[in-house]
Structure formats: C-alpha cells, structure tokens
C-alpha cells in the first residue's frame, strides 16, 4: 500500500526548471514566500517556500536546514507577480525569485530591523519633568519641540546616543510613519487644459486601469504624474515610477522631492551598494518611503500602500532584461497593477507600437498632450542629403555651418551619433580586408585614445595591426566615425568652444554623468557629442541645434524593429532642442533623402509614420499584431545547434508556427556559433498555452543539456 506524507515545496535559487521537495520542519507551519536554507547537491542553497504537497512516504526527503523569515519576504501580490512572470517567460521560478530580491536577501541575510520614520516628544514630557536633562539632551528636546516630528534622517549621527538615552527615559518617542496629514507643496505651474484633463481622469480612476499618456517632448508629462499622485499621497498611498535608465533617476527624484519631500522619496538602481539598496527596499516595505523612482528591478519593491504605477519612456528597450530572466519590466508592471488593483500610466513622446496597438484594441485608455508646456515650438526638422558632399569626419558643410551659427549665437549644439569609439572598422587600403573579432562575426572598433582595437560584443582587444594579415600591406585605415572621432574633429574645428562627450567611454559612473549634466545646464555656448545616453529624457535648455550625424545606421539593420527605434530615437533626440524659450532645429544627415520614413520624420510627427509601421507589421504577421518568441541556441560547432534546433522545430505543437533554424544576426559571438528558431502564434495567449508543453519536450532532446539555449518571449532586440 502507498502511504503519503507532507512535504514542503521549495523554489531553489538556481537556474533549474523544477521545484524541490523537503521534509517539513517539526511543529512549524511554513507560509509561502518564506526564505529557507536547504541542503542542495553537496552544499546549501537559499530557496523560497512555495507551498506544500503530498509525496510518497517511501521517498527519503532532506530536511530544511534553517528557516530565515517569520513572515513571507514579499506580499502575496508580488509573489503572484513573480510566479506569473516565471511562467510567462518560461524561466525557472527560483531564479526569477533571485532576480526579484535585493542581493543581500537573495544571499540569505536578515531583513534590517524596522527603523522609525521620525521622533516626537512623548506625551509624558512636561516643563516640570522630574529628571533634568543634560545639555545635549536639552538641545535635542528643544529642537524636536520646535519642529514637532523630526525625521530620523535629520538627526545627526553625533546625537544618536543622546537620542537613545532620551527614548529610554521616555522623553522622546518614535513615530512609525510620516503623518498622513502632511501635505506636499503646490505645483509651481498652472496646468494647461490638456494636463488638467489628464490629471482629472487619473484622479477619477479606481482600481486597475492602464493608460497610455502620449505627450510630445517637453509637454509636461512629469508634471501630470506628480499631480496625479497628490491625492493618493495625501491619503497615505505610495507611488512607483519606473525609468529606463539610471541617468534619469536624479532629476526625477529631485522633482519629486521638491514637491513631495515630506512623504519620503527614494531612488533604487543598480549603482547603489547592496546595503543601500536593502535599506531603501526595507523602508519602502515599511511604508516610510512613499515615492520610489527606480530602474527595471524596482518593479519588485514591496509597497504595502501602492496607489499608482508610472512607466516613463515606456518605449525604451532597456525595460526588457536581455539576459537571465528575459522579462519586460513594462509588461510586468501592467500585471503588477492588475494584481494590486491600481491604475498604471505608460508615458512617452514616442510610444511603442505595442502600446499604440493596445490603445487601438481597447486594452489601454488614452491621454494626450499635444503642446509643449512652456509654450516653446516643436523643433523644425530638415533633411541634409549627404551625396557628393565633402564630409569632415562625417559632418557635412551644412551641419558645420549650422553649428557655427548656433555657437556664435551663444547657444548649444547636440550632435547625436550612436557609435562609441573612434571608428567602427579598420581595414586594409590595398585589399579591403576588415579587421574582425576572432571570436565574433563583427568588426573591431578602433579606440584611439587607448590605442586599442576592441570588440563591442565580447570585449576582445588587440593592438593596431602593423600589417594586413591577408596581403601584408602596411596601409591600414579607419572606416566610418564614432563619437571619439567626432570629438576630435570638432575640437579642431571649434577650438575655443567647450565640448562634452557623453558616452560610456568618456564618463564613468553616475556621478560623472550627473556632473556633466549640471555643467551643460549652464546657459553658454557648448558642443555636446553623444550616444543614446544623451537622447533620453534630459532637459538641456540651451540646446537649439540637434544634428543626427548618421541617420542611415537605423535603416540598414536586419532587426524588424529597427525602423521603429530609428523613429523614436530621432524624435527623442530632436526633443532635446529648443525646450526653453529658444526655438530649435534639427538636421538629419542621410544618404537616402527620399526614404519614406525620413520624409515623414521630417514632418516631425510620430503618429503617421508609427501607424504606417504598425500596418507593415500587421501585413507581415509580426508583433504586436501577433506573438513572437525566439529559441536561441549557441555551441562551438554549428552543425550541433542546427541539429538541435531542427529537432526542436520538429516536435513543435500544431498551434505554433515555427521557422528556422536561421543564423542569428550575429552568427558568431564570443567564440560561439549562434542560430535561432522563430516561434509565432496569432496572439500571446495562444503562444502561452503551447510553449510550456513544447519546452518540456525540447528539454528532453539530445543535446539539450550540452548546448546553451534560451527562450526569449516577446524579444525586443535581435542580436
Ligand atoms: P515631459 O516630462 O513631458 O518631458 P516636463 O514635465 O519635464 O515634460 O515639463 C517640461 C518643462 O515644462 C519643465 O521645465 C516643466 O517645469 C515645464 N512645465 C510643465 N508643465 C508646465 C505648465 N503647465 N506651465 C508651464 N511650464 C510647465
Ligand atoms: Zn590587405
Ligand atoms: Zn568579439
């Protein structure tokens, strides 16, 4: 006869697609979401209790080593979010949990003890209190008496000991939360009609509802977010703002703090130390911080009184994680809003085709801001044809003249080139041989200042070759331009003008970037040269000329999303121009002046070309009109991945249309051959239903254990 016994199911923090069972500890009820330390293989791992089950009694179960939490580490809605996200992206649950938790919690450290929000005099303190306080204590008591409630963060370290004594003597008491009666400061702007309408609709929202807020650059979207928060904050709620990039957190935190500082505002991003992140995480979980501004991983921060979620610059591909758990923080944010039953706003000047499609199919509500809030005009766009022009480091005479005029007027110029380094290729002038990375199917980028050829895909480095490896010639030349070369050319051409290069090579760390931004904000002539980093969300009041140095880069990519990204990038960069009281203009350098996408871009409008791209996607059966997933495989020998992928294709269920294997955009990377299968279904729900069973079969194929393979659901960047 089979007997059964209780066992505890644990998602172990390891990239393994299964749940493990352990013997329950005696006399303890383990709630789902509690961390445990369990024996695993020859060592130990941290895991999360996900439930209990009945197992056959004759299986010998290992025992849970230690229970790390008395309460679930995450509230139920976030546990559900992680389970949903692991299932949707077909990622191991334990690893999804590991991604969602701050590093120290993932490693098994305890939650920090709750610290009070602030302090006030206890009711027992009267002018005639029996014991006489010392001098320092008196100073502290006076200070607190004057202010009422003093936030813990405002008490200097020097007075900590004094504070502790005063608490022991019952003169001072801790206050757990900021008082909900406190108020933020009023907006310094008078909202315009469109903003007011948007704010009113958001105030009226009850429960889950998703909105797309489409507002041209500088239209005052941030102002709408902040005012939308106000009543929620006043009644004790919390707000979460997700931004695509670390660089955008300081300015947003600053604006939140200026208005709602009394409620507690904090940033959460990867440049913080593990300890700092855990402290902020804990204070959000305790409700002491009421506004969190964070990058992707902030999606999982517990907020017991969450009232609204904002995803700013929602079109940005950085919201999608490109390694490990391939989740989209934007898409999971919508799921979080649904689970927590709160409204969510996706904001952008250039919404993703996904979001536009969701508006058109009625899943999202729509808000729009068509005017710049400051009254500034939208910049004027001009196409600069490059054919037969004499270029100086990639710059046409037209663009150089415009730079000179702008600088002479005392304004700033922003030149956008999405390519780091000096030149994207080095080649032989005699035979045309291109110096390629030995490990990737890509050319090496020349970095002049470091004197190194570097592969931007795997990091491989080498020196400038003395002779051509093919023909022995010693005339090797660079081809094309990167930001480093642009900087050099501009310094020669405008030797007196301050110049800022903004890219990952020129600036290290968040402080360098923030410092540069502060300098740039000063109202004086300057040249800014930069990559993506310059394009996003920043406000540069003195910039009146934007030059897109290499518009065509985005037209030649084999990634079907490249035209959409080109459109978004150009309009975002263009949006940096003329945001204050000065009019702006944008010059687009291109060899294809008649290209229809550039023609419509030149009108400065996003919606018409975006709609045209959406129609193209519909005709081609591509997302967002259908669902797409990629099964990518890598191995040292190409025949092995092709055999594996072909076998995978052959066991696909009829509801999925699978094509391939085809070589990935980069056929070889870091020494690995790469190929992929394209999996398509009419919609995400149908894709979802079939992928699970298929993956189980794929996991059993010969080669499944020795070949690196990953599934990317809703892939964003082909590579
Ligand atoms: P977005 O987030 O759409 O880029 P912001 O909220 O940053 O726009 O606003 C752009 C600029 O316009 C900021 O300098 C902001 O202070 C200003 N602004 C916003 N709303 C108004 C308004 N109603 N009246 C005047 N200026 C405004
Ligand atoms: Zn040669
Ligand atoms: Zn390489």
């Amino acid at each position: 006869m089979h007997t059964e016994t209780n066992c505890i199911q644990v998602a172990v923090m390891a990239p393994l697609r299964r749940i493990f069972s352990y013997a329950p500890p005696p006399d303890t009820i383990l709630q789902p979401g509690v961390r445990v330390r369990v024996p695993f293989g020859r060592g130990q791992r941290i895991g999360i209790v996900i439930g209990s089950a009945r197992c056959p009694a004759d299986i010998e179960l290992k025992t849970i080593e230690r229970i790390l939490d008395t309460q679930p580490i995450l509230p139920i809605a976030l546990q559900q979010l992680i389970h949903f996200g692991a299932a949707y992206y077909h990622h191991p649950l334990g690893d999804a949990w590991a991604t969602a938790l701050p590093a120290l919690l993932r490693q098994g450290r305890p939650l920090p003890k709750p610290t009070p929000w602030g302090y006030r005099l206890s009711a027992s303190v009267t002018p005639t209190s029996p014991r006489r306080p010392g001098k320092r204590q008196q100073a502290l008591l006076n200070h607190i008496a004057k202010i009422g409630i003093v936030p813990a963060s405002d008490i200097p370290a020097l007075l900590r000991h004094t504070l502790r004594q005063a608490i022991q003597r019952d003169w001072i008491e801790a206050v757990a939360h900021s008082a909900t009666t406190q108020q933020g400061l009023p907006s310094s702007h008078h909202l315009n009609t469109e903003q007011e309408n948007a704010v009113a609709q958001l105030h009226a929202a009850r429960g889950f509802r998703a909105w797309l807020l489409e507002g041209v650059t500088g239209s005052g979207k941030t102002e709408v977010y902040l005012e939308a928060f106000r009543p929620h904050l006043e009644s004790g709620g919390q707000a979460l703002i997700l931004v695509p990039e670390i660089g955008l957190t300081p300015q947003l935190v600053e604006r939140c703090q200026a208005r709602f500082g009394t409620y507690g505002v904090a940033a959460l991003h990867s440049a913080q130390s593990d300890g700092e992140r855990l402290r902020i995480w804990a204070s959000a979980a305790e409700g002491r911080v009421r506004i969190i501004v964070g990058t992707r991983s902030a999606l999982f921060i517990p907020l017991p009184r969450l009232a609204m979620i904002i995803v700013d610059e929602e079109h940005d591909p950085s919201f999608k994680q490109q390694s490990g758990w391939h989740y989209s923080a934007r898409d999971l944010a919508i799921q979080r809003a649904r689970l927590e039953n709160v409204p969510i706003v996706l904001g952008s000047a250039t919404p993703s085709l996904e979001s536009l499609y969701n508006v058109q199919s009625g899943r999202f509500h729509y808000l729009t801001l068509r005017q710049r809030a400051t009254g500034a005009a939208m910049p004027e766009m001009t196409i600069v044809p490059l054919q037969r022009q004499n270029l100086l480091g990639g710059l046409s005479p037209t663009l150089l003249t415009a730079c000179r005029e702008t600088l002479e007027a005392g304004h700033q110029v922003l030149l956008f080139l999405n390519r780091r380094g000096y030149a994207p290729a080095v080649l032989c002038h005699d035979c045309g041989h291109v110096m390629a990375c030995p490990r990737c199917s890509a050319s090496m980028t020349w970095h002049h200042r470091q004197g190194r050829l570097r592969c931007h895909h795997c990091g491989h480095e080498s020196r400038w070759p003395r002779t051509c490896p093919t023909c022995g010639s010693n005339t090797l030349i660079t081809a094309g331009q990167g930001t480093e070369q642009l900087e050099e050319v501009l310094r020669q051409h405008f030797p007196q003008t301050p110049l800022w290069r903004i890219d990952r090579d020129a600036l290290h760390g968040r402080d360098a970037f923030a410092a540069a931004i502060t300098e740039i904000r000063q109202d004086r002539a300057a040249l800014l040269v930069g990559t993506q980093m310059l394009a996003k969300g920043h406000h540069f009041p003195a910039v009146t000329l934007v030059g897109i140095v290499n518009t065509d880069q985005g037209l030649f990519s084999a990634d079907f999303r490249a035209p959409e990204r080109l459109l978004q990038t150009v309009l975002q960069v263009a949006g940096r121009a003329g945001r204050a009281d000065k009019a702006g203009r944008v010059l687009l350098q291109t060899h294809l002046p008649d290209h229809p996408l550039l023609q419509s871009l030149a009108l400065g409008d996003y919606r018409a070309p975006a709609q045209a791209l959406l129609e193209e996607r519909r005709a081609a059966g591509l997302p967002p009109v259908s669902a797409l997933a990629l099964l990518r495989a890598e191995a040292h020998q190409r025949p092995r991945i092709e055999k594996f992928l072909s076998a995978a294709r052959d066991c696909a269920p009829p509801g999925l249309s699978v094509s391939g294997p085809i070589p990935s955009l980069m056929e070889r990377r870091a020494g690995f051959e790469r190929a992929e299968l394209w999996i398509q279904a009419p919609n995400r729900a149908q894709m979802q239903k079939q992928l699970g069973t298929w993956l189980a079969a794929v996991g059993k194929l010969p080669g499944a254990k020795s070949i690196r393979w990953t599934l990317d659901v809703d892939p964003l960047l082909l590579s």
Side-chain angles (χ1 to χ4, degrees):
M1 193 188 84
H2 274 314
T3 52
E4 286 190 328
T5 172
N6 255 342
C7 64
I8 302 292
Q9 297 191 293
V10 175
V12 174
M13 291 193 188
L16 292 166
R17 291 177 185 278
R18 53 172 286 214
I19 300 299
F20 293 84
S21 298
Y22 289 89
D27 313 323
T28 320
I29 294 169
L30 278 178
Q31 283 175 273
V34 161
R35 292 174 304 156
V36 288
R37 189 183 292 279
V38 291
F40 193 78
R42 266 186 248 151
Q44 289 184 331
R45 290 281 177 117
I46 308 293
I48 301 285
V49 172
I50 58 166
S52 58
R54 304 288 292 165
C55 332
D58 51 358
I59 295 183
E60 202 173 319
L61 292 174
K62 291 182 179 165
T63 319
I64 287 171
E65 205 99 2
R66 257 188 76 192
I67 299 165
L68 301 174
D69 301 307
T70 49
Q71 293 290 321
I73 193 78
L74 287 179
I76 191 80
L78 285 180
Q79 295 184 36
Q80 287 168 342
L81 182 68
I82 294 170
H83 287 234
F84 172 88
Y88 182 82
Y89 295 101
H90 295 277
H91 192 73
L93 183 59
D95 198 59
W97 266 94
T99 309
L101 289 179
L104 294 177
L105 295 183
R106 184 190 319 151
Q107 292 155 16
R109 298 282 192 87
L111 257 186
K113 286 210 183 64
T115 43
W117 182 84
Y119 300 95
R120 65 177 166 218
L121 297 188
S122 20
S124 65
V125 174
T126 59
T128 55
S129 291
R131 256 176 292 174
R132 289 185 52 77
K135 218 161 140 195
R136 274 199 176 175
Q137 284 167 346
Q138 189 61 58
L140 183 65
L141 292 179
N142 290 348
H143 179 62
I144 294 179
K146 199 162 68 198
I147 296 198
I149 299 177
V150 176
S153 53
D154 287 0
I155 295 183
L158 197 68
L159 289 180
R160 290 277 154 76
H161 179 67
T162 316
L163 177 72
R164 228 172 300 130
Q165 285 179 330
I167 293 171
Q168 271 166 12
R169 294 180 179 172
D170 203 20
W171 293 339
I172 290 177
E173 63 188 18
V175 185
H177 297 284
S178 64
T180 52
T181 50
Q182 273 171 322
Q183 298 219 324
L185 297 177
S187 166
S188 49
H189 299 299
H190 188 73
L191 296 190
N192 60 39
T193 319
E194 285 182 323
Q195 285 174 316
E196 228 163 50
N197 167 47
V199 169
Q201 291 204 45
L202 294 174
H203 282 175
R206 296 285 170 272
F208 170 69
R209 189 169 249 220
W211 309 81
L212 172 66
L213 171 59
E214 179 176 16
V216 297
T217 49
S219 58
K221 292 183 290 296
T222 311
E223 202 59 32
V224 169
Y225 307 150
L226 295 182
E227 288 310 306
F229 292 164
R230 188 181 293 277
H232 295 297
L233 294 170
E234 281 170 1
S235 56
Q238 292 174 301
L240 173 64
I241 314 180
L242 296 177
V243 293
E245 180 140 318
I246 262 186
L248 293 174
T249 51
Q251 57 173 20
L252 203 48
V253 166
E254 222 171 87
R255 279 175 80 171
C256 292
Q257 235 151 14
R259 196 166 307 175
F260 298 126
T262 53
Y263 296 116
V265 179
L268 191 77
H269 52 69
S270 57
Q272 292 161 332
S273 72
D274 289 347
E276 203 175 352
R277 280 170 73 81
L278 182 56
R279 263 197 311 281
I280 293 162
W281 193 92
S283 41
E286 288 160 23
R288 282 185 292 120
V289 168
R290 305 266 297 281
I291 302 181
I292 286 285
V293 179
T295 46
R296 198 171 50 221
S297 64
L299 169 67
F300 300 104
I301 196 168
L303 297 161
R305 305 205 55 182
L306 180 65
M308 184 174 274
I309 303 178
I310 305 288
V311 181
D312 196 20
E313 311 290 356
E314 65 86 27
H315 63 278
D316 198 301
S318 311
F319 282 120
K320 180 102 200 267
Q321 177 140 308
Q322 293 299 332
S323 60
W325 186 16
H326 285 68
Y327 71 95
S328 156
R330 175 195 64 202
D331 293 358
L332 283 190
I334 297 169
Q335 187 62 18
R336 177 168 183 178
R338 187 176 285 131
L339 288 166
E340 304 219 32
N341 198 29
V342 297
I344 178 168
V345 182
L346 312 187
S348 176
T350 53
S352 61
L353 297 189
E354 274 69 15
S355 293
L356 290 177
Y357 183 67
N358 279 333
V359 169
Q360 286 165 17
S361 57
R363 274 187 289 269
F364 288 179
H365 297 259
Y366 181 68
L367 297 166
T368 180
L369 308 176
R370 283 169 241 265
Q371 302 293 323
R372 283 188 155 178
T374 52
M378 291 306 287
E380 184 191 313
M381 303 257 215
T382 311
I383 290 179
V384 178
L386 291 181
Q387 307 97 301
R388 293 179 296 278
Q389 296 286 308
N390 268 329
L391 303 184
L392 181 69
L395 300 173
S396 62
T398 314
L399 182 52
L400 279 170
T401 308
C403 289
R404 184 169 299 285
E405 287 164 5
T406 307
L407 295 170
E408 279 169 4
H411 301 166
Q412 294 178 355
V413 176
L414 188 163
L415 295 176
F416 175 78
L417 178 59
N418 209 12
R419 226 176 225 166
R420 293 181 293 122
Y422 190 87
V426 169
L427 54 80
C428 171
H429 199 44
D430 289 337
C431 78
H433 174 86
V434 176
M435 297 301 297
C437 172
R439 312 174 65 217
C440 304
S441 45
S443 63
M444 302 277 281
T445 299
W446 175 239
H447 287 258
H448 191 67
R449 197 162 298 172
Q450 289 101 342
R452 304 294 279 173
L453 274 166
R454 190 178 297 150
C455 172
H456 282 185
H457 304 281
C458 73
H460 179 81
E461 289 195 8
S462 62
R463 280 188 302 203
W464 180 272
R466 247 188 288 168
T467 54
C468 167
T470 312
C471 76
S473 154
N474 53 13
T475 41
L476 290 141
I477 55 169
T478 62
Q481 292 85 33
T483 47
E484 197 187 349
Q485 185 174 160
L486 205 53
E487 173 183 359
E488 182 187 278
V489 168
L490 289 164
R491 280 199 197 279
Q492 283 162 6
H493 210 75
F494 301 104
Q496 309 301 333
T497 311
L499 182 147
W500 300 93
R501 171 153 67 95
I502 311 282
D503 61 32
R504 264 192 288 147
D505 302 318
L507 298 173
H508 295 287
R510 55 174 162 163
D511 296 339
F513 188 39
I517 299 276
T518 312
E519 284 283 331
I520 293 167
R521 291 252 175 87
Q522 313 225 352
D523 191 10
R524 55 152 195 236
L527 285 156
L528 321 180
V529 175
T531 56
Q532 264 326 333
M533 261 178 118
L534 260 189
K536 299 187 181 181
H538 293 286
H539 191 53
F540 301 125
V543 169
T544 58
L545 172 67
V546 164
I548 311 285
V549 177
N550 186 347
T551 314
D552 301 342
Q553 218 176 335
L555 292 174
F556 299 129
S557 168
D559 186 340
F560 71 88
R561 289 184 208 270
E564 175 189 357
R565 268 198 296 276
L566 170 69
L567 205 55
Q568 291 164 342
T569 306
V570 169
L571 288 173
Q572 290 287 344
V573 182
R576 306 307 119 210
R579 280 167 68 102
D581 45 353
K582 308 175 186 102
R585 57 181 174 149
V586 180
L587 301 186
L588 298 165
Q589 294 201 129
T590 176
H591 278 100
L592 304 166
D594 299 324
H595 194 290
L597 194 63
L598 300 188
Q599 287 289 327
S600 57
L601 251 179
L603 300 175
D605 174 44
Y606 179 68
R607 275 317 272 284
Q611 192 57 40
L613 291 179
L614 193 52
E615 292 314 320
E616 280 176 23
R617 299 270 187 93
R618 194 188 304 276
L622 286 168
V625 184
S626 67
L628 175 68
L630 298 185
L631 185 71
R632 298 196 178 98
E634 298 190 342
H636 289 294
Q637 292 96 21
R638 182 154 290 273
R640 288 188 59 216
I641 44 176
E642 293 192 337
K643 197 164 150 222
F644 170 73
L645 289 176
S646 301
R649 179 199 56 212
D650 292 343
C651 64
L656 296 177
S657 121
V658 179
S659 49
I662 54 164
S664 304
L665 275 194
M666 279 196 73
E667 293 185 30
R668 235 166 90 78
R669 189 163 73 191
F672 283 87
E673 300 291 330
R674 308 168 74 233
E676 60 206 25
L677 291 179
W678 281 47
I679 304 122
Q680 284 168 287
N683 54 56
R684 290 162 104 186
Q686 196 157 325
M687 168 80 78
Q688 201 43 29
K689 241 184 277 162
Q690 316 256 6
L691 273 181
T693 32
W694 181 49
L695 274 191
V698 170
K700 293 197 186 91
L701 290 175
K705 295 240 153 52
S706 57
I707 283 174
R708 295 210 295 211
W709 57 276
T710 51
L711 182 76
D712 189 351
V713 180
D714 307 331
L716 261 199
L717 300 167
L718 301 188
S719 64

